Amino acid sequence: DTEVTQTPKHLVMGMTNKKSLKCEQHMGHRAMYWYKQKAKKPPELMFVYSYEKLSINESVPSRFSPECPNSSLLNLHLHALQPEDSALYLCASSRGAGGLGNEQFFGPGTRLTVL
Amino acid sequence: GNSVTQMEGPVTLSEEAFLTINCTYTATGYPSLFWYVQYPGEGLQLLLKATKADDKGSNKGFEATYRKETTSFHLEKGSVQVSDSAVYFCALSDRETSGSRLTFGEGTQLTVNP
């Protein structure tokens, strides 16, 4: 299994809602990532988990709250988002964090719209 | 710091044309280099990679060679197909200076017409 899965595929939420994005991989990877991608732009790193511990937070607003319940799962909890948070949210995983040639494998993304 | 510069798009080609997408990089360490492809409405897929100078990555007819002397990793394909229409991102990972971070170029939109 060389796949990263993400649910839901699409999400529409109001600014007062609480929702969660889910990511799963069964490749035995020990590093997992959340990215935000706006249209026609490259992905921007948000968070990195290494061995289930948060290792990088790229100064992301607290309305985004990541969680790594186990080595295969990564969640992103959303609360009180703004319309400018509308984007494609991508999850990725890699064998480790920062090793030589340690390529990241991406999921298909969740298209989030905040009304 | 690290940076990646890609040729500006969009690029429009006819089927069976030769493709080159230029990519140059700046890194303080010794990076690994990647090309990712993003088809419409999808996530990024790793297309190919190279981890040391003069390595050639190849996949699905695409090739790129890690050139340390020119700090380049240009993507080439001899004969493009309509199905190659996508956005292509050049990226680097420099574990010495940036750990897990991927530094991406701005992306190049490729459209192949029949």
Side-chain angles (χ1 to χ4, degrees):
Chain A
D1 187 355
T2 57
E3 207 176 305
V4 177
T5 59
Q6 289 187 245
T7 53
K9 192 168 172 60
H10 299 277
L11 178 62
V12 179
M13 60 186 290
M15 289 190 283
T16 58
N17 292 158
K18 287 185 182 181
K19 296 286 185 184
S20 297
L21 310 184
K22 181 178 171 181
C23 173
E24 195 164 3
Q25 57 87 14
H26 294 287
M27 295 179 277
H29 288 175
R30 303 313 301 267
M32 296 186 77
Y33 311 77
W34 279 116
Y35 288 86
K36 174 183 177 179
Q37 187 181 26
K38 297 288 253 185
K40 300 188 186 301
K41 290 292 186 184
E44 299 171 22
L45 183 65
M46 300 174 72
F47 303 104
V48 180
Y49 273 83
S50 179
Y51 291 85
E52 299 157 52
K53 287 186 171 31
L54 183 65
S55 61
I56 294 175
N57 176 343
E58 292 284 36
S59 303
V60 178
S62 59
R63 57 185 184 268
F64 295 91
S65 175
E67 178 196 20
C68 189
N70 60 56
S71 60
S72 300
L73 279 176
L74 185 66
N75 298 319
L76 185 63
H77 303 299
L78 314 173
H79 174 54
L81 294 194
Q82 304 297 310
E84 60 264 28
D85 296 322
S86 298
L88 181 68
Y89 287 84
L90 294 164
C91 174
S93 69
S94 64
R95 201 168 55 244
L100 184 64
N102 215 346
E103 61 266 38
Q104 295 181 24
F105 294 86
F106 285 80
T110 294
R111 176 75 58 189
L112 174 67
T113 302
V114 182
L115 300 177
Chain B
N2 300 329
S3 67
V4 175
T5 302
Q6 282 183 241
M7 68 183 282
E8 289 188 19
V11 174
T12 302
L13 296 173
S14 298
E15 208 164 22
E16 298 184 6
F18 184 85
L19 169 71
T20 300
I21 301 178
N22 289 338
C23 171
T24 56
Y25 67 88
T26 303
T28 50
Y30 200 147
S32 297
L33 301 174
F34 308 91
W35 277 101
Y36 283 88
V37 57
Q38 187 171 31
Y39 298 101
E42 298 185 11
L44 275 70
Q45 296 178 25
L46 178 66
L47 184 58
L48 51 85
K49 71 172 186 179
T51 59
K52 61 183 188 296
D54 300 324
D55 261 2
K56 178 186 280 189
S58 61
N59 186 25
K60 300 181 182 178
F62 290 89
E63 293 183 341
T65 301
Y66 190 142
R67 300 285 188 203
K68 194 165 189 288
E69 64 276 13
T70 54
T71 61
S72 65
F73 193 54
H74 304 321
L75 182 68
E76 296 182 337
K77 187 176 185 183
S79 176
V80 293
Q81 306 300 311
V82 172
S83 56
D84 294 325
S85 298
V87 179
Y88 292 81
F89 291 99
C90 185
L92 71 82
S93 173
D94 181 351
R95 64 174 174 166
E96 290 180 15
T97 61
S98 59
S100 315
R101 288 179 181 81
L102 275 175
T103 301
F104 287 95
E106 286 297 305
T108 301
Q109 171 77 57
L110 170 67
T111 301
V112 180
N113 294 318

